Amino acid sequence: MNIILLGPPGAGKGTQAKWLESERGMVQLSTGDMLRAAVKAGTPTGLKAKAVMEAGELVSDAIVSGIIGERLDMADTDAGAIFDGYPRTQAQAESLDGLLAERGRKLDYVIELEVNEEALVERVEGRFTCAQCGEGYHDRFKQPRVEGTCDVCGSHEFKRRPDDNAETVRTRMAEYRAKTAPILPFYEAKGLVRRVDGMADIEEVSRQIAAILDGQG
Ligand code: AP5
Ligand code: MG
Ligand code: ZN
């Protein structure tokens, strides 16, 4: 099964993708995570992407479609791919169709996380992740069970994203409205779009997504 999780910054795409990985053995393909890894490693892609990401703008379609194509060639994605933060433009949506078709694969669902933008600023500003395993947390909504210790790997080191400040979040949301939300009709026309209430608590959103994947949504 191949699905897209679609929604603005802080909608919960990464949170739900990680849950699907652990529950269903699917693989999260987050272009944001891949780009952050490239920035950290100082690769040519990372050097091009760094300033664009810090400004909250979109990295070029050619770069992201290139990294997704490479990732789809790794065998672990055969178990099912969760596209998180990709595609983000009409051009990316069209190249994803091509990338999947070339590999004899197809999209099963596009799951839109419906959210209230004002609440998202708080979600994004309060977010932090484990520096070792990447598990996601939140100052208010999802603290580690033992303060200062990652639930998953036991690490004591956490980090915050440089683009998670109120001003950059506004730019990221504007980019979503202008370039990403307009791709929904493309997928509506194919009958692939399903909606979940992204304002519900994390477990409830997971339940709604599971119902869709099990054909009951
Ligand atoms: P990316 O990394 O994709 O960031 P984003 O789309 O802005 O989304 P976020 O990761 O901020 O939010 P999320 O939906 O994953 O929320 P999360 O689950 O963490 O992209 C970053 C940048 O990279 C872009 O700005 C762009 O520059 C570049 N880029 C990436 N892909 C690109 C592409 N395809 N094309 C061009 N450029 C690209 O949740 C947020 C917080 O809320 C967490 O703390 C979580 O614990 C909490 N939370 C989650 N769900 C709930 C809930 N239901 N209730 C309460 N709290 C919740
Ligand atoms: Mg994310
Ligand atoms: Zn960890």
Side-chain angles (χ1 to χ4, degrees):
M1 186 168 295
N2 302 294
I3 66 169
I4 295 173
L5 295 180
L6 197 73
K13 305 180 294 292
T15 303
Q16 298 301 332
K18 285 259 182 305
W19 178 80
L20 286 168
E21 278 196 330
S22 66
E23 289 294 307
R24 305 209 168 211
M26 298 171 77
V27 177
Q28 175 191 22
L29 303 188
S30 159
T31 41
D33 287 350
M34 293 173 201
L35 290 167
R36 281 184 287 279
V39 169
K40 194 170 169 207
T43 65
T45 297
L47 294 176
K48 281 185 216 149
K50 185 170 190 285
V52 180
M53 292 174 77
E54 278 173 9
E57 291 160 8
L58 294 188
V59 174
S60 81
D61 292 334
I63 288 181
V64 291
S65 294
I67 60 178
I68 281 283
E70 283 172 23
R71 189 64 186 82
L72 277 175
D73 286 332
M74 298 183 192
D76 62 338
T77 66
D78 293 351
I82 308 153
F83 297 99
D84 160 4
Y86 176 89
R88 260 176 151 95
T89 62
Q90 181 68 28
Q92 289 178 23
E94 286 164 20
S95 41
L96 178 59
D97 272 359
L99 291 170
L100 289 172
E102 283 162 18
R103 291 163 178 79
R105 298 169 67 160
K106 65 169 185 53
L107 270 177
D108 294 285
Y109 297 109
V110 175
I111 301 180
E112 184 190 8
L113 298 157
E114 287 189 300
V115 285
N116 158 4
E117 273 196 18
E118 281 313 305
L120 297 186
V121 177
E122 184 192 9
R123 277 200 198 171
V124 171
E125 282 192 307
R127 168 172 56 189
F128 59 99
T129 54
C130 172
Q132 194 146 330
C133 75
E135 180 68 6
Y137 296 97
H138 193 278
D139 294 328
R140 265 190 64 197
F141 306 122
K142 192 189 165 202
Q143 279 282 351
R145 283 192 290 272
V146 177
E147 201 188 327
T149 305
C150 175
D151 296 348
V152 175
C153 75
S155 161
H156 300 294
E157 241 187 283
F158 296 91
K159 59 182 186 190
R160 290 180 192 257
R161 277 169 45 177
D163 60 344
D164 277 352
N165 57 78
E167 193 199 332
T168 310
V169 172
R170 300 269 175 212
T171 307
R172 286 158 57 198
M173 285 180 176
E175 290 280 81
Y176 180 82
R177 273 195 304 272
K179 296 171 188 162
T180 308
I183 69 179
L184 272 161
F186 174 76
Y187 290 121
E188 293 275 13
K190 297 174 190 277
L192 295 177
V193 179
R194 302 289 183 277
R195 296 195 165 78
V196 299
D197 175 11
M199 297 313 296
D201 63 33
I202 293 173
E203 292 73 26
E204 171 58 19
V205 178
S206 300
R207 272 193 292 275
Q208 291 184 18
I209 292 174
I212 292 167
L213 301 192
D214 294 337
Q216 295 149 10

